[in-house]
Amino acid sequence: MADKLKLAIFISGRGSNMGALITACAHPDFPAEIVLVLSNTPDAPGLDKAQKAGLATEIVNHRDYPKDKPAFEAKILERLAAYPIDLICLAGFMRILSADFIARWPEKIINIHPSLLPKFKGLDTHQRALDAGESEHGCTVHYVVPEMDAGPIILQRAVPILPDDNADSLAARVLEQEHIAYPEAVRLLSEKLL
Ligand code: GRF
């Protein structure tokens, strides 16, 4: 069997997209494996899930580096060095990585965002899509570049916005698609990177 793409997943919270990647990677034919889950918040619920799945975890708490992003990122790089990583998957990672950090991993950091980029960069995407009167919404997997939510798009999945949707119902419908999109994107990139 050919080598698998080695993933580091960065999380900050519940880790449901990480969970979707764990499920995908459990399939023998899936071309990737998770070598590390890193969180910037020590109490991220996703860390528990990762540990229960038997994955290596690292915590680099950004609060230990107040106003010192270079030191925070240097510590992340130090931890990453211990693992054989081909691709970093941001999955609800709520820190913005610097241009210097991103330059160390050219086209090797991807993110999932809950909107059809370039629409609705940033936070609160579901309510903003509703307020804008959109007829569809969705999610995007994209390369990470220094400008937030602006990197080249790898793939998108769309859902209709229904007349009685609120932000929660729409978020749930988009999240289902996120859990399909992220493994799909990793599979696509494996064809390029392996
Ligand atoms: C997802 O909606 C993702 O698109 C966004 O943050 C959320 C993370 O959710 N970047 P989870 O932690 O993967 O459940």
Side-chain angles (χ1 to χ4, degrees):
M1 153 112 225
D3 268 357
K4 295 198 175 215
L5 196 68
K6 294 180 172 52
L7 311 180
I9 304 178
F10 286 16
I11 63 168
S12 300
R14 71 188 160 180
S16 73
N17 279 288
M18 175 202 73
L21 289 170
I22 291 174
T23 303
C25 288
H27 195 285
D29 294 336
F30 193 70
E33 63 184 320
I34 300 165
V35 297
L36 172 66
V37 172
L38 181 140
S39 174
N40 67 304
T41 50
D43 53 357
L47 277 173
D48 265 0
K49 285 188 206 168
Q51 280 156 4
K52 286 195 176 111
L55 296 172
T57 57
E58 297 278 359
I59 298 166
V60 180
N61 187 347
H62 65 279
R63 292 184 188 84
D64 293 343
Y65 307 89
K67 298 193 183 136
D68 192 352
K69 188 183 279 207
F72 169 61
E73 292 187 341
K75 182 55 78 176
I76 294 179
L77 287 170
E78 188 186 307
R79 298 287 175 82
L80 295 184
Y83 300 87
I85 295 160
D86 298 316
L87 183 70
I88 296 174
C89 300
L90 308 185
F93 184 65
M94 300 304 285
R95 311 309 297 171
I96 295 176
L97 295 168
S98 72
D100 280 351
F101 187 99
I102 294 166
R104 285 173 180 265
W105 296 83
E107 295 188 10
K108 299 281 175 58
I109 309 178
I110 64 175
N111 180 45
I112 187 153
H113 180 76
S115 79
L116 296 173
L117 290 172
K119 289 182 176 172
F120 311 118
K121 297 174 181 175
L123 299 175
D124 205 17
T125 58
H126 309 300
Q127 189 59 52
R128 286 161 59 210
L130 289 169
D131 292 346
E134 297 286 323
S135 59
E136 64 170 14
H137 186 44
C139 62
T140 303
V141 182
H142 64 93
Y143 288 105
V144 172
V145 297
E147 192 188 334
M148 189 184 63
D149 300 329
I153 290 171
I154 299 164
L155 63 82
Q156 298 186 304
R157 292 184 72 91
V159 299
I161 294 184
L162 305 178
D164 56 353
D165 262 332
N166 58 36
D168 289 344
S169 63
L170 186 53
R173 193 171 321 110
V174 171
L175 193 63
E176 280 177 16
Q177 297 306 309
E178 293 187 37
H179 296 164
I180 299 168
Y182 221 166
E184 265 184 12
V186 168
R187 183 185 283 282
L188 264 179
L189 291 191
S190 75
E191 287 161 18
K192 184 175 158 195
L193 294 173
L194 279 179

